[in-house]
Structure formats: structure tokens, C-alpha cells
Amino acid sequence: MLIGHQKQRQYLRTLAQSGKLPHALLFAGERGLGKKTAALELVMALNCQNVGTGQKPCFVCRACSDIQKNQYPDLAVIEPEKKEIQISQIRDLIWRLSLRPYNSALKIAIINDAHLMNSEAQNCLLKTLEEPSGQALLILISEQPFTLLSTILSRMERINFYPVARKEIETALVSCGASADLAQELGEISMGRPGEAFDFLREPEKLKIYHQRLSEVSRLIGDDFTERFQYAKDLSEDAEAVKDVLSIWLGYFRNNLLLGAASGNSDNTAKTARVINAIEKMIYLIAHTNVNVRLALETLMLEL
């Protein structure tokens, strides 16, 4: 279920109906906004078998159903393997795109988390973008498009996705069974990301961990450096936990930044902005380099 993004959805539907799709699209925006869902909705609109007067996609015909299950023969979805997208995956994808469509006018590929393509994979993909096939559509999805080669970006039409209105997220949560109070809480902490809100709804344990991490960062702000560095040491031993913690902290400090700006406290706002920049830098380093996680966390502790 795609929540919000009405302008983007209408534009994509218009493209699908016009038959004048570009050979490559880039869906850019934060994690959890629904970019992959939007991409699948476009694929459904292009292949929907609804022959009545209803709007496409219908979401219930055989083609729409197969696409949602990732069982459609003319659709390939590439996901990172071992934290990156490797050249072997792109080579296989190029071969699949070279084949004639089985059931559609187009062969379509979605590369999720495209920013995790290594340099070899990006250069391999570039050759396909330089010599596009008329029977193929490529959709890249990325929360960090700035890490892609400029030559790749220049050959794609970019569609930006933005945080969704809190009210829209809350309404969707209530329609899926959440209480009004829970929907309000999840709408606030998801920071405009429907995917994040529904993850919390489906996994109550994740919400419990979220509150635990918030209490930790609140405590750390008042702790001395010895306690902060011990926390950094303990956290660095769990690589997956580090990413989750940084994501929660980013939301926490962004919210504090908004509160500080509203109160007119410029000193506090400037300090919070520096912490946010430090967290964003660390998230990038963890995703794209072999950074020493413990050392990076200790550096971050100095900013709190």
C-alpha cells in the first residue's frame, strides 16, 4: 500500500498511459517513504490486465498479483547481497534485459538500494544506460543518489519522494487496525516515513527497542566521556544494532532541531545541527567504507 506521494503517482500514471516512458528512472528519497512500492505500482500500471473502465493498476488481476509477489516473468528486482550490489548481479540483469519480453511490451528491472552498487557494478550498468534498449525500462531506487556516478545520474529521469504528511500516515495506520493513540505516536516518530510507521505496527518489539534507544541517548547526553566511550565500545560489537541506533538517533535529533528552531534557541539549534551532521556522516561511512566503527562512535560521542 502506497501512502501519499499523489503528485508522483499521477505523473507516473500519466507516463504509463502515454507510452512515452524514459528508458531509465531514478526514485530518490529517504528510506521508508515507499519508493519501491511506487516502482511496483508503476510496473503494475504498465502491465495491468484490467480491460474495463477502472483505473490501472487494479491490484487484483493476474499480472498485478504476480508483480506484487515478485513472480512476474518480465520483472527483475535486484537487492543488495552482503551489503552491496555486485557486478555479477548487474551482468546477470543485463543478460535478462537483453531477452525479448515474455508477456509484456517491456522488460523491467528495479534496482533497490542502488547506492549500494560497488564501482564495478556501476560502471557495468553505465554501458547499458549508454546504449538503452527500446524494450527495457530500468528503475533505480536510492536514498543516497549522490553516491552514484554522475554519468549514471545524467542518463536517468529523477523523481524525488518527500516525507508524507503525518495525518495521512495516521489515517492509514488506523485503517489497518491501529488505535488512534498508537497511530498518533507512530505518526510522530516515523518522521514522515510510512514504511517505518508500519514496521513499528507490525513489530511491537521494535517499538519497545526504539523507546529503549531513545532513553539511552537521553542518558548519554548527561554522561561523562568515560561512560559514553564504554557505550560506544559495547555498541560497536553489534554492526546491525549500530545502523538501527543511528537511524533512531537521527530522528531524535532532527525532532530536537525543529523544537529548538521553534523556541528561537539559536545556540542549541547550532549544536543539534552539528550532531545531525556527525550522525549522517557516520551512516555514510558505515555504508560505503571500511570505517573503524568503534572509533567513529567515539568521535560521535564527543559531539553529544
Side-chain angles (χ1 to χ4, degrees), residues 6 8 31 78 154 168 231 276 300:
Q6 295 305 321
Q8 290 88 341
R31 177 176 58 86
I78 304 299
S154 67
E168 287 188 77
Y231 180 86
I276 291 172
L300 178 59

Side-chain angles (χ1 to χ4, degrees), residues 5 49 88 91 106 179 206 247 249 280:
H5 311 302
Q49 297 168 337
S88 59
R91 284 174 174 163
L106 291 170
S179 67
K206 183 176 179 180
S247 177
W249 286 13
E280 290 177 335

Side-chain angles (χ1 to χ4, degrees), residues 20-283:
K20 297 180 180 178
L21 280 164
H23 68 276
L25 293 166
L26 170 64
F27 288 9
E30 291 182 49
R31 177 176 58 86
L33 292 179
K35 301 183 297 298
K36 184 178 177 181
T37 304
L40 291 171
E41 189 172 290
L42 172 59
V43 179
M44 285 187 278
L46 290 167
N47 295 282
C48 181
Q49 297 168 337
N50 181 10
V51 295
T53 58
Q55 182 172 287
K56 295 184 177 183
C58 69
F59 298 97
V60 295
C61 70
R62 176 65 181 274
C64 287
S65 178
D66 285 349
I67 288 166
Q68 292 176 84
K69 297 174 184 176
N70 196 22
Q71 296 176 351
Y72 196 67
D74 293 319
L75 171 65
V77 180
I78 304 299
E79 301 280 357
E81 295 180 356
K82 299 179 181 178
K83 300 182 180 181
E84 69 176 9
I85 296 174
Q86 303 173 27
I87 188 172
S88 59
Q89 293 175 268
I90 299 303
R91 284 174 174 163
D92 180 67
L93 175 63
I94 291 172
W95 174 77
R96 293 175 66 177
L97 292 178
S98 69
L99 303 175
R100 294 183 62 183
Y102 176 78
N103 204 36
S104 313
L106 291 170
K107 298 284 285 187
I108 303 175
I110 296 174
I111 302 180
N112 198 29
D113 290 331
H115 52 279
L116 295 181
M117 284 190 289
N118 60 34
S119 57
E120 292 85 0
Q122 289 198 45
N123 280 302
C124 184
L125 181 67
L126 181 58
K127 296 178 181 178
T128 297
L129 292 172
E130 289 173 339
E131 301 174 5
S133 166
Q135 290 183 297
L137 169 65
L138 188 61
I139 304 173
L140 270 62
I141 299 172
S142 178
E143 63 192 71
Q144 297 176 354
F146 55 87
T147 65
L148 296 171
L149 295 173
S150 59
T151 43
I152 286 180
L153 295 175
S154 67
R155 288 167 171 80
M156 311 191 76
E157 180 174 340
R158 176 168 173 161
I159 299 176
N160 291 317
F161 288 77
Y162 303 98
V164 176
R166 180 172 160 181
K167 189 64 178 178
E168 287 188 77
I169 296 175
E170 291 178 11
T171 299
L173 289 167
V174 170
S175 71
C176 291
S179 67
D181 288 343
L182 179 59
Q184 185 176 3
E185 179 186 5
L186 299 185
E188 179 180 352
I189 67 177
S190 62
M191 300 291 287
R193 297 172 294 173
E196 192 79 2
F198 276 87
D199 280 348
F200 285 129
L201 181 63
R202 287 188 293 263
E203 302 176 44
E205 185 63 25
K206 183 176 179 180
L207 182 59
K208 181 180 178 180
I209 294 172
Y210 173 87
H211 287 299
Q212 177 186 329
R213 295 304 189 188
L214 279 189
S215 65
E216 288 173 357
V217 69
S218 298
R219 188 199 74 232
L220 282 169
I221 291 173
D223 282 346
D224 60 32
F225 287 125
T226 300
E227 292 168 315
R228 292 186 193 181
F229 288 162
Q230 183 60 48
Y231 180 86
K233 176 180 180 296
D234 295 340
L235 182 60
S236 66
E237 295 172 358
D238 187 343
E240 289 303 314
V242 171
K243 291 187 285 187
D244 291 338
V245 168
L246 291 177
S247 177
I248 291 170
W249 286 13
L250 192 58
Y252 171 83
F253 284 106
R254 282 177 175 173
N255 190 49
N256 283 354
L257 183 65
L258 293 175
L259 293 174
S263 67
N265 188 337
S266 58
D267 288 342
N268 185 58
T269 300
K271 291 177 182 177
T272 305
R274 287 199 297 271
V275 173
I276 291 172
N277 288 335
I279 295 173
E280 290 177 335
K281 180 179 179 180
M282 184 170 176
I283 290 173

